[in-house]
Amino acid sequence: MGTTCGLTIDPIYRYVRAIVICVILLPCIQLSLGAKTRHFKWEVEYKYWSPDCIENIVMAINGQFPGPTIRAKVGDTINVELTNKLSTEGVVIHWHGIRQTGTPWADGTASISQCAINPGETYTYRFKVDKPGTYFYHGHLGMQRSAGLYGSLIVDLAEGEKEPFYYDGELNLLLSDWWHKNTHDQEIGLFTNPFRWVGESQSLLINGRGQYNCSLAAKFSSNTSISQCKLRGTEQCAPMILHVLPNKTYRLRLASATSLASLNLAIGNHKMLVVEADGNYVQPFEVDDLDIYSGESYSVLLTTNQDPSNNYWLSIGVRGRLPQTPQGLTILNYKPNSASKLPISAPPITPNHKMLVVEADGNYVQPFEVDDLDIYSGESYSVLLTTNQDPSNNYWLSIGVRGRLPQTPQGLTILNYKPNSASKLPISAPPITPVWNDYNHSKAFTNKILALMGTPKPPVNHDRRIILLNTQNKINGYTKWALNNVSLVLPPTPYLGSIKYGLKNAFDQKNPPENFDSINYDVTKPPVNPNSTYGNGVYMLGFNTTVDVILQNANALNANVSEIHPWHLHGHDFWVLGYGDGKFSAENDEKKLNLKNPPLRNSAIIFPYGWTALRFVADNPGVWAFHCHIEPHLHMGMGVVFAEGVDRLSTIPNEGLTCGLTGKKFSGQKN
Amino acid sequence: MGTTCGLTIDPIYRYVRAIVICVILLPCIQLSLGAKTRHFKWEVEYKYWSPDCIENIVMAINGQFPGPTIRAKVGDTINVELTNKLSTEGVVIHWHGIRQTGTPWADGTASISQCAINPGETYTYRFKVDKPGTYFYHGHLGMQRSAGLYGSLIVDLAEGEKEPFYYDGELNLLLSDWWHKNTHDQEIGLFTNPFRWVGESQSLLINGRGQYNCSLAAKFSSNTSISQCKLRGTEQCAPMILHVLPNKTYRLRLASATSLASLNLAIGNHKMLVVEADGNYVQPFEVDDLDIYSGESYSVLLTTNQDPSNNYWLSIGVRGRLPQTPQGLTILNYKPNSASKLPISAPPITPNHKMLVVEADGNYVQPFEVDDLDIYSGESYSVLLTTNQDPSNNYWLSIGVRGRLPQTPQGLTILNYKPNSASKLPISAPPITPVWNDYNHSKAFTNKILALMGTPKPPVNHDRRIILLNTQNKINGYTKWALNNVSLVLPPTPYLGSIKYGLKNAFDQKNPPENFDSINYDVTKPPVNPNSTYGNGVYMLGFNTTVDVILQNANALNANVSEIHPWHLHGHDFWVLGYGDGKFSAENDEKKLNLKNPPLRNSAIIFPYGWTALRFVADNPGVWAFHCHIEPHLHMGMGVVFAEGVDRLSTIPNEGLTCGLTGKKFSGQKN
């Protein structure tokens, strides 16, 4: 197998055809002449690290967290020899946003494009980068991305090519979220009945750096319990300061590898001009702040046109998730008042009643009086309550969560206008993140993203339309996510091998459902029948056909809950034809789809109770995951698998297929 | 490939030869006639569990912890279809004490007998049990044994056969130790520089049950901070009560799957008669208490001849390890006293000086006075000390560990004489575990273990003697264990496959060292040159030769430290020819070796600064691990690999070899 200029060629004719093709495609030759192969030798292992000033364990590459940044030029070949130095776990790395044209085996998705690399073994990822842009890479097995297996991948234009915008310098920010509970424990919770959820992340990280036990901006906070960070700058959690010169234009490359969080990014006093999304140019538009969902990347231009005697904040904050567990409340009804009479004051901050603690865990204790009582999991108490307050009122009894930050604090760093000292704090508080559920703000931003003129346009018609209803479900009491009532469970044999070799026992050969009962299903209510089924079938796409996917959001298991899901497609960019509220209607919504200048992307979100329409051409032989990029959601089944033109791949390297039924086949066993 | 009566036969001649052999070997046929194949379908996964009343995560089999007990008869075939339901980790199970005659691929040691089973995949262990006795099974990859992957395997005599002792009933106890820190984190600490050690286990478990936050025997304890357990009996941590009738004899089967702990077991008021060790009968001897090291098993006979109106304790406690971190001490030298003048009183329990706390973590605090101060990792304080005490004395400044149990508490359960209520507590305190470093007590016990008459005797002469110096070492600053200065790192390709297929790149083809510089090496001192090397070479043993192994203990890295190591051999029983103190001397010690009635075992310890002499016949074609059974020690390199007669294995199932270079070979790649 040989790959030349992005085309796959039969080995026997390789030499001759390569010459013919490259002579015909002159620009291609020019690229190839300047192109390099960039070699990397990486070792993945766990390492103690303090991403947010609290020591924990991260997945490191060559001892670094985040992993090393790959920087290449269009036309280059990336060659990463990845050695698994873990003790018991497999590992893979996915090159997020790279389409892997002609090299689907290098996509780095366990169970889809390859077997996980076993401990002690080395697998070589070798692929071309054919489009400039801001990308990243990350683990794609279990919760290894959440564990810190990620890094930046930046593709510059080929020598002599020019970006459609000007900038003086560049800053590269990889955003992520971070938990103190280890990812193995988090993952087991997902597969437990009743479901156990880790909750919101403890920290947000910018280039792997955050601060949990202090704040860079404490002096601007009304919360006096947060201390001002005193960092020397050499700590693993010290912020990466963004050094800039006044009156220049900088390209900020942003990518979100978060496990869960939807983020909003803002820079104090500065506007940003959005110019790139997911490795595609967009019609430039100016914003005060920017939403970035897991799996997305952007470039924004920042002009340092503010008072040069100050420094400024860059902040990221969580969007789209209720920031804290609300208090539990009941009413202490002083009879004969009506129980429905609300207390006259707010739930206790300064309570009216004292309590006398007399028993703990079945043992009498020396009685002592308290205003409030901490009660931890597994504990029991008896307290004596004397109803000695104004009998004309009722009173609140409240419980609230302790010992956990009520919400994930903002991630912060400083935009340092030189020659100011980097340690000079900005003069005002960091930008405030918009309210978590201000979806109008988010939609306004999303709707501004349109393709730059000259971007390829989508085919006018689709050959096939797959409608995917996104629902939260139950299977045997376990909480799952499902598409058209099928919750994805990946098989042990990678699809790329089982399809290529026709191993029909490797996965369900029936096509998964193309639609749901859209007439009767009420997307605004919890599912009437929440029971779902496991599945691992594949959407077999006709080669070179145009495929529409309508992602249809719905209500989750609890009433009045519908979450944002950022969907990511491997092996392709798609056109985002439009977003809408409620149930997608071919009749009403079809004509509103944007076929004029829809943005090309590899990631798109669905808003609560809304739909999103995507279109792509199935022109890349391989098997490709399409899934919610929230890591726990994917593991709870929120993904589907597309396959196209696998029969056109003359050779698939067996190196990545020595597991499952392909492994059995190679070793001469019966499948 | 077919296995008949324990012999491996070429498939083509199988039928004819099987008849011939079985006619010749009549007893073999008799066994086969009564023998069964016992089928098990197991799924391994992580599960929330409370082994010691504190919720944690265990490796469970079919949702159980410990795993299901296998009970079979001599001659039976065990058939376990093991499915890996983990998300990212491989898994294997080793059948500890089963020699796997003719089925070395079923030994369940990752990197040696097979590839780890990948997530989602199933591997079938199929092997014969050919010797009655008390065995167990456990994970043999990473720290999966410590994570709880273990269970009992009991082989009864074939129908009509009789044990050489009588008993009325049987009780089966599988012993283990348990940490609250998860095993992934523990393991990363082992591979960190500087070394991080998890410390002593939080609990000891009997059949997977212990009590951390309370004690069954609190009412007998002088420590009033420990509460009496109040368990209903249905809790996962409720002790498994041993119900017995008065004036009967019970066989207690004991096996230790501990990760670290050497245990001592005793039963209040009762003596025990030791009759079996590691699946071999021993000359019966009576003891008050019994040492059992990791990897060992025993049967003892217990006669319920005590006051039948009472219940009695069964206790296990830790031996051989310093039970707590000693205080750190320095002297506050009141000048002009000599600094060498010792304080007149013990280190502070009631201190002489008060301290005024004035600063915490770089912030001034409201000053407050204390007698002592808690300081947690990462904290800093300033305290003011006024030297207002008797100036003619010096004073201690001491630091001691807080928040951790100073030593692992005893594991306890109750021997319930029926018809007493099981909840009736014994009338006196549980048996006291001998002092941790009373090695004379341990040696006295060990030296009593001799083969029962009729046990096969060792060959009088050895063909080869391998002397293995056990040392703690450093490699690039990492703490390791080594044998003759080689620290074992297992390769990704299982030896059984790489030797069978002659894959010379799979491991170091040079023989590892047979000896050390025994003339100059001082085993009583830390190593002069602690630097060691990694290795993965194999001791290639001539088939059917008699091999002696002399395990030579030495001083660890710190002065005056030499640990107990329980060594376990796969694929064989060995004769334990003797134990001695100091350096083994062929001249002086050879003649003391016991060739008359040495016990046959699969595990043997080396005492601090001592040696142990073992002999076995290399008559079992396969590749066999020989290693310290302390799980962290094995992972730090404390093991060697023996191979014998691999060329005699006509067929090795490829099922377990689809990884590493064998996987590459099968898939047609170059090695």
Side-chain angles (χ1 to χ4, degrees):
Chain A
M1 200 290 310
T3 302
T4 309
C5 312
L7 294 172
T8 303
I9 300 154
D10 244 323
I12 208 157
Y13 301 113
R14 190 164 57 127
Y15 184 70
V16 176
R17 285 176 64 174
I19 290 173
V20 173
I21 287 166
C22 290
V23 165
I24 295 168
L25 304 171
L26 201 64
C28 167
I29 285 189
Q30 287 176 329
L31 286 186
S32 299
L33 289 179
K36 279 186 187 168
T37 297
R38 297 180 188 267
H39 289 275
F40 301 88
K41 279 198 178 204
W42 285 359
E43 294 187 344
V44 175
E45 63 186 329
Y46 285 107
K47 202 168 159 45
Y48 287 102
W49 203 272
S50 301
D52 62 353
C53 306
I54 303 293
E55 194 184 68
N56 212 312
I57 287 160
V58 299
M59 290 196 99
I61 297 175
N62 293 352
Q64 293 178 45
F65 168 77
T69 293
I70 291 183
R71 188 115 205 177
K73 286 195 164 59
V74 166
D76 286 353
T77 297
I78 308 294
N79 192 98
V80 179
E81 281 180 57
L82 186 72
T83 299
N84 178 351
K85 301 289 274 186
L86 308 173
S87 161
T88 56
E89 292 181 63
V91 76
V92 293
I93 288 186
H94 169 58
W95 315 93
H96 186 110
I98 306 298
R99 291 169 299 177
Q100 301 291 354
T101 311
T103 54
W105 46 81
D107 192 46
T109 43
S111 287
I112 297 179
S113 63
Q114 69 170 116
C115 304
I117 307 163
N118 286 323
E121 298 199 42
T122 299
Y123 180 85
T124 300
Y125 290 99
R126 192 177 168 87
F127 57 89
K128 270 208 171 165
V129 289
D130 58 0
K131 197 158 59 84
T134 305
Y135 307 104
F136 64 110
Y137 61 84
H138 60 79
H140 214 294
L141 173 65
M143 302 268 287
Q144 293 183 345
R145 174 159 57 90
S146 303
L149 186 55
Y150 44 74
S152 291
L153 198 175
I154 309 291
V155 182
D156 290 305
L157 288 170
E159 210 67 58
E161 301 279 317
K162 282 221 171 84
E163 301 280 5
F165 41 81
Y166 173 81
Y167 52 97
D168 301 290
E170 200 177 307
L171 298 161
N172 180 27
L173 305 185
L174 182 60
L175 313 176
S176 56
D177 41 11
W178 186 251
W179 281 259
H180 293 166
K181 188 174 190 173
N182 84 53
T183 51
H184 295 106
D185 293 7
Q186 288 184 38
E187 190 174 14
I188 295 159
L190 301 179
F191 297 106
T192 295
N193 179 10
F195 185 63
R196 298 203 195 181
W197 177 243
V198 64
E200 302 305 303
S201 67
Q202 273 66 58
S203 301
L204 298 177
L205 308 182
I206 300 173
N207 291 336
R209 292 156 179 268
Q211 301 80 36
Y212 174 75
N213 52 3
C214 66
S215 168
L216 299 177
K219 63 176 287 189
F220 300 102
S221 172
S222 57
N223 183 344
T224 53
S225 72
I226 298 171
S227 66
Q228 178 69 34
C229 294
K230 285 175 186 153
L231 297 164
R232 290 183 303 274
T234 51
E235 298 86 353
Q236 289 171 337
C237 66
M240 204 197 72
I241 302 290
L242 309 174
H243 302 286
V244 294
L245 291 171
N247 295 310
K248 299 279 180 191
T249 296
Y250 291 87
R251 179 180 191 167
L252 259 71
R253 293 182 182 269
L254 310 169
S256 174
T258 56
S259 175
L260 175 65
S262 302
L263 298 175
N264 183 274
L265 179 143
I267 303 170
N269 297 47
H270 291 75
K271 300 212 176 264
M272 297 175 281
L273 191 73
V274 181
V275 294
E276 182 218 331
D278 298 353
N280 292 287
Y281 298 124
V282 300
Q283 191 62 42
F285 63 101
E286 199 176 64
V287 292
D288 288 320
D289 60 82
L290 167 137
D291 284 335
I292 178 165
Y293 301 92
S294 179
E296 292 188 338
S297 68
Y298 287 100
S299 284
V300 299
L301 299 184
L302 168 78
T303 302
T304 51
N305 54 9
Q306 296 299 304
D307 180 351
S309 67
N310 292 329
N311 290 333
Y312 299 88
W313 293 112
L314 181 148
S315 70
I316 52 174
V318 176
R319 298 298 310 281
R321 297 188 65 85
L322 185 62
Q324 70 178 101
T325 311
Q327 276 190 323
L329 290 173
T330 189
I331 285 171
L332 184 67
N333 169 222
Y334 267 49
K335 289 195 174 175
N337 299 330
S338 159
S340 64
K341 179 181 181 180
L342 284 187
I344 55 167
S345 50
I349 295 179
T350 311
N352 306 78
H353 293 77
K354 305 239 173 223
M355 296 176 281
L356 191 72
V357 181
V358 293
E359 182 226 313
D361 295 348
N363 296 294
Y364 295 126
V365 296
Q366 188 63 36
F368 63 101
E369 200 177 66
V370 293
D371 284 328
D372 57 76
L373 173 119
D374 283 342
I375 179 162
Y376 298 92
S377 178
E379 290 187 344
S380 66
Y381 286 100
S382 287
V383 299
L384 300 185
L385 170 76
T386 305
T387 50
N388 54 6
Q389 297 296 305
D390 180 350
S392 67
N393 293 329
N394 290 335
Y395 298 88
W396 290 112
L397 184 152
S398 69
I399 53 170
V401 176
R402 294 297 308 276
R404 298 176 63 91
L405 271 174
Q407 68 179 100
T408 309
Q410 281 187 322
L412 292 173
T413 188
I414 284 171
L415 185 70
N416 167 223
Y417 268 51
K418 286 192 176 177
N420 298 330
S421 160
S423 64
K424 180 179 181 180
L425 285 186
I427 54 170
S428 51
I432 291 166
T433 301
V435 173
W436 72 276
N437 57 356
D438 181 357
Y439 293 115
N440 286 335
H441 186 95
S442 302
K443 289 174 185 174
F445 171 75
T446 301
N447 286 324
K448 282 181 194 154
I449 303 169
L450 297 168
L452 185 66
M453 211 183 306
T455 303
K457 289 191 180 183
V460 177
N461 297 308
H462 60 274
D463 298 306
R464 180 173 177 182
R465 176 172 283 168
I466 298 168
I467 303 182
L468 297 175
L469 176 71
N470 289 235
T471 52
Q472 199 180 27
N473 295 76
K474 290 275 183 184
I475 302 183
N476 302 327
Y478 293 88
T479 304
K480 297 289 168 189
W481 289 94
L483 289 312
N484 297 343
N485 219 32
V486 178
S487 183
L488 180 66
V489 177
L490 292 169
T493 312
Y495 290 104
L496 187 61
S498 51
I499 294 175
K500 174 71 186 172
Y501 291 110
L503 307 178
K504 296 197 189 300
N505 296 326
F507 62 91
D508 187 353
Q509 297 294 304
K510 228 179 77 194
N511 256 323
E514 301 268 312
N515 208 332
F516 64 103
D517 178 3
S518 62
I519 293 164
N520 296 309
Y521 195 95
D522 185 348
V523 298
T524 67
K525 300 253 165 64
V528 175
N529 174 9
N531 287 330
S532 184
T533 49
Y534 293 119
N536 62 18
V538 173
Y539 291 93
M540 298 287 182
L541 308 180
F543 190 67
N544 264 332
T545 58
T546 300
V547 179
D548 276 13
V549 176
I550 311 290
L551 290 165
Q552 177 64 57
N553 210 342
N555 197 99
L557 285 168
N558 291 328
N560 301 316
V561 175
S562 182
E563 295 187 25
I564 284 180
H565 300 285
W567 278 81
H568 170 64
L569 178 59
H570 293 224
H572 296 274
D573 288 336
F574 48 63
W575 290 275
V576 187
L577 303 185
Y579 302 87
D581 293 328
K583 213 186 290 183
F584 177 81
S585 146
E587 200 182 345
N588 303 321
D589 296 320
E590 183 86 46
K591 54 182 172 287
K592 295 183 214 155
L593 298 181
N594 174 12
L595 300 181
K596 206 184 97 203
N597 58 355
L600 264 177
R601 304 200 65 165
N602 59 58
S603 296
I605 56 162
I606 41 171
F607 287 107
Y609 301 109
W611 55 262
T612 300
L614 313 174
R615 180 166 294 177
F616 67 97
V617 178
D619 57 0
N620 191 6
V623 187
W624 308 108
F626 179 51
H627 62 90
C628 175
H629 208 261
I630 292 176
E631 189 143 86
H633 288 188
L634 170 58
H635 294 302
M636 293 162 73
M638 203 167 203
V640 297
V641 178
F642 294 139
E644 66 212 44
V646 174
D647 54 332
R648 297 178 169 245
L649 296 164
S650 51
T651 320
I652 294 178
N654 288 340
E655 189 184 348
L657 300 175
T658 62
C659 65
L661 298 185
T662 35
K664 265 194 164 172
K665 176 188 152 73
F666 298 151
S667 67
Q669 299 163 77
K670 281 186 196 143
N671 283 313
Chain B
M1 200 287 311
T3 302
T4 309
C5 310
L7 294 171
T8 303
I9 300 154
D10 242 325
I12 208 155
Y13 301 114
R14 188 164 59 126
Y15 184 71
V16 175
R17 285 175 64 174
I19 290 173
V20 174
I21 288 166
C22 290
V23 166
I24 295 168
L25 304 172
L26 201 64
C28 168
I29 284 189
Q30 288 175 328
L31 285 185
S32 298
L33 290 178
K36 278 187 188 167
T37 297
R38 297 180 188 267
H39 289 275
F40 301 89
K41 279 199 179 203
W42 284 0
E43 293 187 344
V44 175
E45 64 187 328
Y46 285 105
K47 202 168 159 42
Y48 288 103
W49 203 272
S50 301
D52 62 353
C53 305
I54 303 292
E55 193 183 69
N56 213 313
I57 287 160
V58 300
M59 290 195 99
I61 297 175
N62 292 352
Q64 293 179 45
F65 168 77
T69 293
I70 291 184
R71 188 116 204 176
K73 286 194 165 60
V74 166
D76 286 353
T77 296
I78 308 294
N79 192 98
V80 178
E81 281 181 56
L82 186 72
T83 299
N84 178 351
K85 301 290 273 186
L86 308 173
S87 161
T88 56
E89 293 182 62
V91 76
V92 293
I93 288 185
H94 169 57
W95 315 93
H96 186 109
I98 305 300
R99 291 169 299 178
Q100 302 290 356
T101 310
T103 54
W105 47 82
D107 192 45
T109 43
S111 287
I112 297 178
S113 63
Q114 69 169 116
C115 304
I117 307 164
N118 286 322
E121 299 199 42
T122 300
Y123 180 86
T124 301
Y125 291 99
R126 191 177 168 88
F127 57 89
K128 270 206 171 168
V129 289
D130 60 359
K131 197 158 59 82
T134 306
Y135 307 103
F136 63 111
Y137 61 83
H138 59 78
H140 215 294
L141 173 65
M143 302 269 288
Q144 293 183 345
R145 174 159 57 91
S146 302
L149 187 54
Y150 44 74
S152 291
L153 198 176
I154 309 291
V155 181
D156 291 306
L157 288 170
E159 210 67 57
E161 301 280 317
K162 282 223 171 82
E163 300 279 5
F165 41 81
Y166 173 82
Y167 52 96
D168 301 291
E170 199 178 307
L171 299 161
N172 179 28
L173 305 185
L174 181 59
L175 313 176
S176 56
D177 42 10
W178 185 252
W179 281 259
H180 292 166
K181 188 173 188 173
N182 84 53
T183 52
H184 295 107
D185 293 6
Q186 288 184 39
E187 190 174 15
I188 295 159
L190 301 179
F191 297 106
T192 295
N193 179 9
F195 185 63
R196 298 203 195 180
W197 177 242
V198 64
E200 302 305 303
S201 67
Q202 273 66 58
S203 303
L204 297 177
L205 308 182
I206 300 173
N207 291 337
R209 293 155 179 268
Q211 301 80 36
Y212 174 75
N213 52 2
C214 66
S215 168
L216 299 176
K219 62 176 288 189
F220 301 102
S221 171
S222 57
N223 183 344
T224 53
S225 72
I226 298 171
S227 65
Q228 179 69 34
C229 294
K230 285 173 186 154
L231 297 164
R232 291 183 304 274
T234 52
E235 298 86 353
Q236 289 171 337
C237 67
M240 204 197 72
I241 302 290
L242 310 173
H243 303 287
V244 294
L245 292 170
N247 295 310
K248 299 280 181 191
T249 296
Y250 291 88
R251 178 181 191 167
L252 259 72
R253 293 182 182 268
L254 310 169
S256 174
T258 56
S259 175
L260 176 65
S262 302
L263 298 174
N264 183 274
L265 179 143
I267 303 170
N269 296 49
H270 291 75
K271 298 209 177 269
M272 297 175 281
L273 191 73
V274 182
V275 294
E276 182 219 331
D278 297 353
N280 292 287
Y281 298 124
V282 299
Q283 192 63 41
F285 63 101
E286 199 177 66
V287 292
D288 288 321
D289 60 82
L290 166 137
D291 285 333
I292 179 165
Y293 301 92
S294 178
E296 292 188 339
S297 68
Y298 287 100
S299 285
V300 299
L301 299 184
L302 168 78
T303 303
T304 51
N305 54 7
Q306 297 298 303
D307 179 351
S309 67
N310 292 328
N311 290 333
Y312 298 89
W313 294 111
L314 181 147
S315 70
I316 52 174
V318 176
R319 298 297 312 279
R321 297 188 65 85
L322 185 63
Q324 71 178 100
T325 310
Q327 276 188 324
L329 291 173
T330 189
I331 285 172
L332 184 68
N333 169 221
Y334 267 49
K335 288 196 175 174
N337 298 332
S338 159
S340 64
K341 180 181 180 180
L342 284 186
I344 55 166
S345 52
I349 295 179
T350 310
N352 307 76
H353 292 77
K354 305 242 174 221
M355 296 176 282
L356 191 71
V357 180
V358 293
E359 182 226 314
D361 295 349
N363 296 294
Y364 296 126
V365 296
Q366 187 64 34
F368 63 101
E369 200 177 66
V370 293
D371 284 329
D372 57 75
L373 172 120
D374 283 342
I375 179 162
Y376 297 92
S377 178
E379 290 187 344
S380 66
Y381 286 100
S382 287
V383 299
L384 300 185
L385 170 76
T386 305
T387 50
N388 54 5
Q389 297 296 304
D390 180 350
S392 67
N393 292 330
N394 289 335
Y395 298 89
W396 291 112
L397 183 152
S398 69
I399 53 170
V401 176
R402 295 296 309 275
R404 297 177 63 91
L405 273 173
Q407 67 179 99
T408 309
Q410 282 187 322
L412 292 173
T413 188
I414 284 170
L415 186 71
N416 167 225
Y417 269 52
K418 288 191 175 177
N420 298 330
S421 160
S423 64
K424 180 180 181 179
L425 284 187
I427 54 169
S428 52
I432 291 167
T433 300
V435 173
W436 73 275
N437 58 357
D438 182 357
Y439 292 115
N440 287 334
H441 186 96
S442 303
K443 289 174 184 174
F445 171 75
T446 301
N447 286 323
K448 282 182 193 153
I449 303 169
L450 297 167
L452 185 66
M453 212 184 305
T455 303
K457 289 190 180 181
V460 176
N461 297 308
H462 60 273
D463 298 306
R464 180 174 178 184
R465 176 171 282 168
I466 298 167
I467 304 183
L468 297 175
L469 176 70
N470 288 235
T471 52
Q472 199 179 27
N473 295 78
K474 290 275 182 183
I475 302 183
N476 302 327
Y478 293 88
T479 304
K480 297 288 168 189
W481 290 94
L483 288 313
N484 297 342
N485 218 32
V486 177
S487 184
L488 180 66
V489 177
L490 291 169
T493 312
Y495 290 105
L496 187 62
S498 51
I499 294 174
K500 174 73 184 171
Y501 292 110
L503 306 179
K504 295 196 191 300
N505 296 326
F507 62 91
D508 186 355
Q509 297 295 303
K510 229 179 77 192
N511 255 324
E514 301 268 312
N515 207 332
F516 64 102
D517 178 3
S518 63
I519 293 165
N520 297 309
Y521 196 95
D522 185 347
V523 299
T524 68
K525 300 254 165 63
V528 175
N529 175 8
N531 287 331
S532 184
T533 49
Y534 293 118
N536 62 18
V538 173
Y539 290 92
M540 298 288 184
L541 308 179
F543 190 67
N544 265 332
T545 58
T546 300
V547 178
D548 276 12
V549 176
I550 311 291
L551 290 165
Q552 176 64 58
N553 211 340
N555 196 101
L557 284 169
N558 292 328
N560 302 315
V561 175
S562 183
E563 296 186 26
I564 284 180
H565 300 284
W567 279 79
H568 170 64
L569 178 59
H570 293 223
H572 296 274
D573 288 337
F574 48 63
W575 290 275
V576 186
L577 303 185
Y579 301 87
D581 294 327
K583 212 186 290 182
F584 177 80
S585 146
E587 201 183 344
N588 303 322
D589 296 321
E590 183 88 45
K591 54 183 174 286
K592 296 183 213 154
L593 298 181
N594 174 13
L595 300 180
K596 207 184 97 203
N597 59 354
L600 264 176
R601 305 199 64 165
N602 59 57
S603 297
I605 56 162
I606 40 170
F607 287 108
Y609 301 110
W611 55 263
T612 299
L614 313 173
R615 180 167 294 177
F616 67 97
V617 179
D619 57 1
N620 190 6
V623 187
W624 308 109
F626 178 50
H627 62 91
C628 176
H629 209 261
I630 292 178
E631 189 143 85
H633 289 188
L634 170 58
H635 294 301
M636 292 162 74
M638 203 167 202
V640 297
V641 178
F642 294 139
E644 66 212 44
V646 174
D647 55 332
R648 296 178 170 246
L649 296 164
S650 52
T651 319
I652 294 177
N654 288 340
E655 190 184 348
L657 300 175
T658 62
C659 65
L661 299 185
T662 35
K664 264 194 164 174
K665 177 188 151 70
F666 298 152
S667 67
Q669 299 163 75
K670 283 185 195 145
N671 284 312

